[in-house]
Amino acid sequence: MPNTKNSILQKISFSGIKRKDIQLFIKREDLIHPEISGNKYRKLKYNLLQAQSENKKILLTFGGAFSNHISAVAYAGKLNGFKTIGVIRGDELGVDLEKTLVSNPTLRFANECGMTFKFVSRTDYRNKAFQEFIEQLKDEFDNFYLIPEGGTNDLAVKGCEEILSKETESFDVICVAVGTGGTISGLINTAKLHQQVLGFPALKGDFLNVEIDKYVNQTENWNLISEYHFGGYAKTSEELITFINQFKKETSIPLDPVYTGKMLFGLVDLINRDYFTDHTKILVIHTGGLQGIEGMNTILKRRNSLIIE
Ligand SMILES: *Cc1c(COP(=O)(O)O)cnc(C)c1O
Protein backbone atom coordinates (compact mmCIF):
# COMPACT_ATOMS: atom_id res chain seq x y z
CA MET A 1 0.00 0.00 0.00
CA PRO A 2 1.09 3.60 -0.52
CA ASN A 3 3.24 5.41 1.96
CA THR A 4 1.23 8.06 3.75
CA LYS A 5 3.69 9.09 6.41
CA ASN A 6 3.85 12.69 5.27
CA SER A 7 1.72 14.07 2.50
CA ILE A 8 3.04 17.50 1.56
CA LEU A 9 1.86 20.86 2.88
CA GLN A 10 1.58 23.60 0.32
CA LYS A 11 0.92 27.31 0.80
CA ILE A 12 -1.94 28.67 -1.26
CA SER A 13 -2.10 32.06 -2.83
CA PHE A 14 -5.34 32.64 -4.67
CA SER A 15 -6.71 35.89 -6.04
CA GLY A 16 -10.23 34.99 -4.86
CA ILE A 17 -9.11 35.44 -1.24
CA LYS A 18 -9.48 39.09 -0.32
CA ARG A 19 -8.05 38.98 3.20
CA LYS A 20 -4.29 38.99 2.97
CA ASP A 21 -3.67 38.41 6.70
CA ILE A 22 -5.15 34.90 6.52
CA GLN A 23 -2.68 32.12 5.79
CA LEU A 24 -3.96 29.15 3.88
CA PHE A 25 -2.17 25.83 3.44
CA ILE A 26 -3.33 22.61 1.84
CA LYS A 27 -2.33 19.08 2.82
CA ARG A 28 -2.06 17.12 -0.40
CA GLU A 29 -3.59 13.80 0.55
CA ASP A 30 -4.68 13.63 -3.08
CA LEU A 31 -1.07 12.90 -3.99
CA ILE A 32 -0.85 9.79 -1.78
CA HIS A 33 -1.77 7.61 -4.72
CA PRO A 34 -3.40 8.26 -8.12
CA GLU A 35 -6.05 5.58 -7.67
CA ILE A 36 -6.71 5.32 -3.95
CA SER A 37 -6.21 8.92 -3.14
CA GLY A 38 -6.69 10.80 0.05
CA ASN A 39 -9.06 9.77 2.71
CA LYS A 40 -10.29 6.61 0.98
CA TYR A 41 -6.89 5.05 1.46
CA ARG A 42 -6.78 6.17 5.09
CA LYS A 43 -10.20 4.66 5.69
CA LEU A 44 -9.30 1.33 4.13
CA LYS A 45 -5.94 0.80 5.78
CA TYR A 46 -7.05 -0.80 9.05
CA ASN A 47 -10.06 -2.47 7.45
CA LEU A 48 -7.75 -4.34 5.09
CA LEU A 49 -5.59 -5.45 8.00
CA GLN A 50 -8.70 -6.58 9.87
CA ALA A 51 -9.99 -8.50 6.85
CA GLN A 52 -6.61 -10.22 6.54
CA SER A 53 -6.57 -11.13 10.22
CA GLU A 54 -10.06 -12.64 9.86
CA ASN A 55 -8.78 -14.62 6.89
CA LYS A 56 -11.39 -13.08 4.62
CA LYS A 57 -10.75 -13.39 0.89
CA ILE A 58 -13.52 -11.10 -0.33
CA LEU A 59 -14.35 -7.45 0.32
CA LEU A 60 -17.94 -6.35 -0.26
CA THR A 61 -19.04 -2.76 -0.25
CA PHE A 62 -21.64 -0.30 -1.56
CA GLY A 63 -21.57 2.82 -3.66
CA GLY A 64 -23.01 5.01 -6.38
CA ALA A 65 -21.94 4.73 -10.00
CA PHE A 66 -19.20 7.38 -9.70
CA SER A 67 -18.08 6.60 -6.16
CA ASN A 68 -14.50 7.32 -5.10
CA HIS A 69 -14.95 4.63 -2.49
CA ILE A 70 -15.88 1.95 -5.04
CA SER A 71 -12.86 2.87 -7.10
CA ALA A 72 -10.58 2.74 -4.02
CA VAL A 73 -11.89 -0.61 -2.78
CA ALA A 74 -11.53 -2.18 -6.23
CA TYR A 75 -7.94 -1.06 -6.49
CA ALA A 76 -6.97 -1.85 -2.89
CA GLY A 77 -8.49 -5.30 -3.29
CA LYS A 78 -6.47 -5.98 -6.38
CA LEU A 79 -3.30 -4.75 -4.72
CA ASN A 80 -3.80 -6.85 -1.59
CA GLY A 81 -5.13 -10.06 -3.09
CA PHE A 82 -8.82 -9.73 -2.20
CA LYS A 83 -11.72 -10.40 -4.51
CA THR A 84 -14.03 -7.40 -4.47
CA ILE A 85 -17.78 -7.07 -4.85
CA GLY A 86 -19.42 -3.71 -5.40
CA VAL A 87 -23.14 -3.36 -4.70
CA ILE A 88 -23.98 -0.44 -6.98
CA ARG A 89 -27.01 1.85 -6.84
CA GLY A 90 -29.09 1.75 -10.03
CA ASP A 91 -30.29 -1.52 -11.52
CA GLU A 92 -30.56 0.11 -14.97
CA LEU A 93 -26.74 0.13 -15.09
CA GLY A 94 -26.67 -3.65 -15.09
CA VAL A 95 -28.98 -4.11 -18.09
CA ASP A 96 -26.14 -3.67 -20.56
CA LEU A 97 -22.87 -3.83 -18.64
CA GLU A 98 -20.69 -3.31 -21.71
CA LYS A 99 -22.46 -0.08 -22.50
CA THR A 100 -22.27 1.06 -18.87
CA LEU A 101 -18.54 0.45 -18.78
CA VAL A 102 -17.98 2.44 -21.95
CA SER A 103 -19.69 5.49 -20.52
CA ASN A 104 -18.68 5.25 -16.86
CA PRO A 105 -14.96 5.63 -16.10
CA THR A 106 -15.32 4.76 -12.40
CA LEU A 107 -17.04 1.42 -13.01
CA ARG A 108 -14.74 0.70 -15.94
CA PHE A 109 -11.72 1.15 -13.69
CA ALA A 110 -13.25 -0.96 -10.91
CA ASN A 111 -14.10 -3.66 -13.44
CA GLU A 112 -10.53 -3.64 -14.76
CA CYS A 113 -9.35 -4.12 -11.16
CA GLY A 114 -11.47 -7.27 -11.05
CA MET A 115 -14.46 -6.02 -9.08
CA THR A 116 -17.70 -7.95 -9.50
CA PHE A 117 -20.82 -5.78 -9.55
CA LYS A 118 -24.24 -6.37 -8.18
CA PHE A 119 -26.56 -3.64 -9.42
CA VAL A 120 -29.58 -2.98 -7.22
CA SER A 121 -32.61 -0.74 -7.47
CA ARG A 122 -32.65 2.52 -5.55
CA THR A 123 -35.19 1.04 -3.14
CA ASP A 124 -33.05 -2.01 -2.38
CA TYR A 125 -30.05 0.23 -2.08
CA ARG A 126 -31.76 2.22 0.64
CA ASN A 127 -32.09 -1.01 2.65
CA LYS A 128 -28.43 -1.81 2.42
CA ALA A 129 -27.66 -1.31 6.08
CA PHE A 130 -30.46 -3.65 7.21
CA GLN A 131 -29.60 -7.09 8.43
CA GLU A 132 -32.04 -8.79 6.08
CA PHE A 133 -30.37 -7.37 2.99
CA ILE A 134 -26.93 -8.26 4.34
CA GLU A 135 -28.13 -11.83 5.00
CA GLN A 136 -29.30 -12.11 1.39
CA LEU A 137 -25.88 -10.97 0.23
CA LYS A 138 -24.28 -13.56 2.49
CA ASP A 139 -26.33 -16.27 0.81
CA GLU A 140 -25.34 -15.01 -2.61
CA PHE A 141 -21.62 -14.41 -2.04
CA ASP A 142 -19.06 -16.27 0.03
CA ASN A 143 -17.90 -15.22 3.43
CA PHE A 144 -17.00 -11.57 2.85
CA TYR A 145 -15.60 -8.69 4.84
CA LEU A 146 -18.21 -5.94 4.80
CA ILE A 147 -17.14 -2.34 4.33
CA PRO A 148 -20.03 0.14 4.66
CA GLU A 149 -20.94 2.74 2.04
CA GLY A 150 -18.30 5.45 1.97
CA GLY A 151 -16.11 3.20 4.08
CA THR A 152 -16.90 4.73 7.46
CA ASN A 153 -16.60 2.57 10.57
CA ASP A 154 -14.42 2.58 13.70
CA LEU A 155 -11.38 1.29 11.84
CA ALA A 156 -11.82 3.95 9.14
CA VAL A 157 -11.86 6.68 11.78
CA LYS A 158 -8.73 5.16 13.27
CA GLY A 159 -7.03 5.46 9.86
CA CYS A 160 -8.09 9.10 9.55
CA GLU A 161 -6.60 9.82 12.97
CA GLU A 162 -3.25 9.55 11.19
CA ILE A 163 -3.85 12.50 8.85
CA LEU A 164 -2.75 15.19 11.30
CA SER A 165 0.85 15.24 12.47
CA LYS A 166 3.41 17.26 14.36
CA GLU A 167 3.70 19.45 11.27
CA THR A 168 0.05 20.50 11.40
CA GLU A 169 0.04 21.58 15.04
CA SER A 170 0.68 25.23 14.25
CA PHE A 171 -2.65 25.68 12.46
CA ASP A 172 -5.66 27.30 14.13
CA VAL A 173 -8.33 25.86 11.86
CA ILE A 174 -8.51 22.58 9.94
CA CYS A 175 -11.01 22.28 7.07
CA VAL A 176 -12.29 19.13 5.42
CA ALA A 177 -15.09 18.06 3.09
CA VAL A 178 -17.67 15.78 4.69
CA GLY A 179 -19.62 12.88 3.19
CA THR A 180 -20.36 10.19 5.75
CA GLY A 181 -18.37 11.88 8.52
CA GLY A 182 -15.59 9.34 9.02
CA THR A 183 -12.73 11.55 7.93
CA ILE A 184 -13.71 14.56 10.01
CA SER A 185 -14.16 12.26 13.02
CA GLY A 186 -10.54 11.18 12.79
CA LEU A 187 -9.43 14.80 12.55
CA ILE A 188 -11.55 15.82 15.53
CA ASN A 189 -10.05 13.05 17.65
CA THR A 190 -6.48 14.14 16.99
CA ALA A 191 -6.85 17.93 16.72
CA LYS A 192 -4.96 19.84 19.40
CA LEU A 193 -6.81 21.79 22.06
CA HIS A 194 -6.24 25.12 20.33
CA GLN A 195 -7.47 23.82 16.95
CA GLN A 196 -10.95 24.06 15.49
CA VAL A 197 -12.12 21.55 12.86
CA LEU A 198 -14.56 22.84 10.23
CA GLY A 199 -16.47 20.36 8.09
CA PHE A 200 -18.15 21.24 4.80
CA PRO A 201 -20.88 18.66 4.05
CA ALA A 202 -21.17 17.77 0.36
CA LEU A 203 -24.79 16.79 0.81
CA LYS A 204 -28.00 18.01 2.38
CA GLY A 205 -29.39 16.69 5.61
CA ASP A 206 -28.83 17.01 9.32
CA PHE A 207 -27.99 13.41 10.17
CA LEU A 208 -24.30 14.20 10.18
CA ASN A 209 -23.96 15.70 13.65
CA VAL A 210 -25.42 12.53 15.16
CA GLU A 211 -23.23 10.34 12.98
CA ILE A 212 -20.03 12.19 13.88
CA ASP A 213 -20.97 12.14 17.57
CA LYS A 214 -20.78 8.33 17.42
CA TYR A 215 -17.08 8.44 16.59
CA VAL A 216 -15.68 11.40 18.49
CA ASN A 217 -14.86 12.18 22.08
CA GLN A 218 -15.08 15.96 21.80
CA THR A 219 -17.98 18.30 21.23
CA GLU A 220 -16.36 21.72 21.45
CA ASN A 221 -13.67 21.66 18.79
CA TRP A 222 -15.71 21.16 15.63
CA ASN A 223 -18.45 22.65 13.55
CA LEU A 224 -20.28 21.83 10.33
CA ILE A 225 -20.74 24.57 7.72
CA SER A 226 -23.84 23.45 5.86
CA GLU A 227 -24.36 26.23 3.33
CA TYR A 228 -22.13 24.97 0.53
CA HIS A 229 -23.60 21.70 -0.73
CA PHE A 230 -24.83 23.35 -3.98
CA GLY A 231 -28.20 21.63 -3.83
CA GLY A 232 -27.06 18.18 -2.75
CA TYR A 233 -24.69 15.34 -3.31
CA ALA A 234 -22.94 15.50 -6.72
CA LYS A 235 -24.99 18.56 -7.71
CA THR A 236 -22.93 21.30 -9.31
CA SER A 237 -23.33 24.74 -10.82
CA GLU A 238 -21.46 26.84 -13.37
CA GLU A 239 -20.28 29.02 -10.51
CA LEU A 240 -18.69 26.00 -8.81
CA ILE A 241 -17.05 24.70 -11.98
CA THR A 242 -15.74 28.19 -12.79
CA PHE A 243 -14.26 28.37 -9.31
CA ILE A 244 -12.58 24.95 -9.64
CA ASN A 245 -11.07 25.92 -13.00
CA GLN A 246 -9.82 29.27 -11.72
CA PHE A 247 -8.33 27.67 -8.61
CA LYS A 248 -6.45 25.15 -10.71
CA LYS A 249 -5.24 27.81 -13.13
CA GLU A 250 -3.73 29.87 -10.32
CA THR A 251 -2.45 27.16 -7.97
CA SER A 252 -2.05 24.09 -10.24
CA ILE A 253 -4.07 22.17 -7.66
CA PRO A 254 -6.99 20.19 -9.08
CA LEU A 255 -10.18 20.01 -7.02
CA ASP A 256 -13.01 17.55 -7.45
CA PRO A 257 -16.55 18.83 -7.99
CA VAL A 258 -18.24 16.65 -5.34
CA TYR A 259 -16.16 17.34 -2.22
CA THR A 260 -13.02 19.45 -2.24
CA GLY A 261 -14.29 22.00 -4.77
CA LYS A 262 -17.32 22.78 -2.63
CA MET A 263 -15.24 22.97 0.53
CA LEU A 264 -12.76 25.44 -0.94
CA PHE A 265 -15.51 27.51 -2.52
CA GLY A 266 -17.16 27.69 0.92
CA LEU A 267 -13.94 28.42 2.73
CA VAL A 268 -12.97 31.28 0.41
CA ASP A 269 -16.45 32.72 0.87
CA LEU A 270 -16.16 32.49 4.67
CA ILE A 271 -12.75 34.16 4.60
CA ASN A 272 -14.07 37.01 2.48
CA ARG A 273 -17.07 37.42 4.79
CA ASP A 274 -14.74 37.86 7.78
CA TYR A 275 -15.73 34.61 9.47
CA PHE A 276 -12.18 34.27 10.83
CA THR A 277 -10.28 36.48 13.23
CA ASP A 278 -7.13 38.33 12.13
CA HIS A 279 -4.12 36.25 11.10
CA THR A 280 -5.88 32.91 11.35
CA LYS A 281 -3.77 30.06 10.01
CA ILE A 282 -5.94 27.61 8.10
CA LEU A 283 -5.12 24.11 6.91
CA VAL A 284 -7.26 22.49 4.24
CA ILE A 285 -7.16 18.72 3.82
CA HIS A 286 -7.23 17.76 0.14
CA THR A 287 -9.04 14.43 0.38
CA GLY A 288 -8.56 13.52 -3.29
CA GLY A 289 -11.54 12.31 -5.28
CA LEU A 290 -9.99 13.36 -8.57
CA GLN A 291 -11.02 10.13 -10.28
CA GLY A 292 -14.56 11.55 -10.21
CA ILE A 293 -13.77 14.44 -12.53
CA GLU A 294 -13.95 12.38 -15.72
CA GLY A 295 -17.36 10.98 -14.80
CA MET A 296 -18.69 14.41 -13.90
CA ASN A 297 -17.38 15.84 -17.18
CA THR A 298 -19.19 13.09 -19.10
CA ILE A 299 -22.43 14.25 -17.51
CA LEU A 300 -21.67 17.96 -17.97
CA LYS A 301 -20.82 17.47 -21.66
CA ARG A 302 -24.10 15.67 -22.22
CA ARG A 303 -25.84 18.77 -20.82
CA ASN A 304 -23.67 21.10 -22.87
CA SER A 305 -22.44 22.68 -19.64
CA LEU A 306 -19.09 24.08 -18.67
CA ILE A 307 -16.65 21.26 -17.88
CA ILE A 308 -13.75 20.86 -15.43
CA GLU A 309 -10.43 21.61 -17.11
C1 LIG B 1 -15.43 10.25 0.47
C2 LIG B 1 -14.81 11.58 0.35
C3 LIG B 1 -14.97 12.57 1.34
C4 LIG B 1 -15.85 12.38 2.52
O1 LIG B 1 -15.31 11.53 3.49
P1 LIG B 1 -16.23 11.00 4.67
O2 LIG B 1 -15.30 10.26 5.53
O3 LIG B 1 -17.25 10.09 4.03
O4 LIG B 1 -16.88 12.15 5.32
C5 LIG B 1 -14.31 13.78 1.18
N1 LIG B 1 -13.56 14.01 0.09
C6 LIG B 1 -13.40 13.10 -0.89
C7 LIG B 1 -12.58 13.46 -2.06
C8 LIG B 1 -14.01 11.86 -0.78
O5 LIG B 1 -13.85 10.96 -1.77
Side-chain angles (χ1 to χ4, degrees), residues 238-300:
E238 295 242 323
E239 193 185 17
L240 178 65
I241 305 294
T242 304
F243 174 85
I244 288 171
N245 288 341
Q246 186 63 27
F247 191 83
K248 183 168 174 201
K249 204 163 134 197
E250 289 185 33
T251 64
S252 302
I253 299 171
L255 300 173
D256 83 294
V258 180
Y259 294 103
T260 55
K262 292 181 181 180
M263 166 188 57
L264 263 152
F265 182 100
L267 177 60
V268 169
D269 195 45
L270 288 185
I271 293 173
N272 291 338
R273 286 167 41 201
D274 288 336
Y275 182 89
F276 300 103
T277 54
D278 290 354
H279 304 291
T280 300
K281 221 179 145 188
I282 303 172
L283 178 67
V284 162
I285 310 296
H286 195 319
T287 39
L290 302 175
Q291 72 84 30
I293 291 176
E294 197 185 338
M296 180 62 82
N297 275 345
T298 311
I299 296 168
L300 293 172

Side-chain angles (χ1 to χ4, degrees), residues 39-40 43 68 150 152 177-183 256 259-260 287-289:
N39 64 343
K40 295 302 183 285
K43 294 170 84 167
N68 297 328
T152 290
V178 178
T180 57
T183 309
D256 83 294
Y259 294 103
T260 55
T287 39

Side-chain angles (χ1 to χ4, degrees), residues 3-235:
N3 180 359
T4 50
K5 274 281 174 326
N6 275 311
S7 64
I8 62 168
L9 284 184
Q10 209 174 329
K11 191 170 196 308
I12 302 289
S13 88
F14 178 58
S15 66
I17 298 175
K18 302 300 175 209
R19 288 227 353 227
K20 298 307 169 197
D21 64 306
I22 301 280
Q23 285 192 61
L24 184 59
F25 283 73
I26 191 161
K27 191 165 165 61
R28 299 292 305 274
E29 297 269 301
D30 58 311
L31 297 177
I32 287 177
H33 191 280
E35 311 301 346
I36 14 179
S37 75
N39 64 343
K40 295 302 183 285
Y41 164 74
R42 301 275 186 188
K43 294 170 84 167
L44 282 173
K45 178 179 166 187
Y46 289 106
N47 277 293
L48 295 177
L49 290 172
Q50 181 64 25
Q52 274 158 354
S53 78
E54 290 176 19
N55 246 322
K56 295 278 168 71
K57 306 281 182 253
I58 305 173
L59 307 174
L60 181 142
T61 195
F62 306 91
F66 295 99
S67 162
N68 297 328
H69 171 67
I70 286 293
S71 170
V73 169
Y75 191 83
K78 179 178 132 178
L79 217 59
N80 292 278
F82 292 100
K83 278 194 192 165
T84 54
I85 297 161
V87 180
I88 309 293
R89 180 178 55 228
D91 44 358
E92 75 283 357
L93 297 166
V95 174
D96 184 345
L97 183 61
E98 287 305 312
K99 197 171 147 214
T100 296
L101 296 182
V102 168
S103 63
N104 184 313
T106 303
L107 295 180
R108 186 165 66 239
F109 174 77
N111 176 260
E112 282 161 10
C113 290
M115 182 176 259
T116 302
F117 301 125
K118 177 180 170 65
F119 296 97
V120 300
S121 70
R122 281 157 177 78
T123 314
D124 282 350
Y125 193 83
R126 246 172 267 133
N127 294 332
K128 66 191 171 301
F130 294 136
Q131 203 49 39
E132 197 185 323
F133 187 61
I134 306 289
E135 289 305 324
Q136 279 174 24
L137 291 170
K138 281 186 182 158
D139 290 340
E140 187 172 344
F141 301 104
D142 276 343
N143 190 20
F144 53 76
Y145 183 85
L146 181 78
I147 303 177
E149 182 187 40
T152 290
N153 57 16
D154 289 331
L155 290 173
V157 173
K158 180 177 171 185
C160 292
E161 288 173 359
E162 296 176 352
I163 296 173
L164 296 181
S165 65
K166 198 107 204 107
E167 244 191 336
T168 62
E169 285 178 11
S170 64
F171 291 92
D172 307 305
V173 176
I174 294 153
C175 297
V176 70
V178 178
T180 57
T183 309
I184 193 173
S185 295
L187 296 173
I188 291 166
N189 287 340
T190 46
K192 296 292 165 190
L193 280 174
H194 67 91
Q195 295 180 315
Q196 189 74 16
V197 182
L198 284 189
F200 293 77
L203 63 171
K204 280 197 268 194
D206 42 24
F207 63 97
L208 270 169
N209 279 296
V210 178
E211 193 59 23
I212 294 167
D213 268 331
K214 286 187 205 160
Y215 295 108
V216 301
N217 41 31
Q218 312 209 50
T219 52
E220 300 297 323
N221 70 339
W222 59 278
N223 224 329
L224 295 182
I225 308 286
S226 308
E227 285 83 45
Y228 300 101
H229 55 64
F230 287 80
Y233 189 73
K235 298 267 184 1

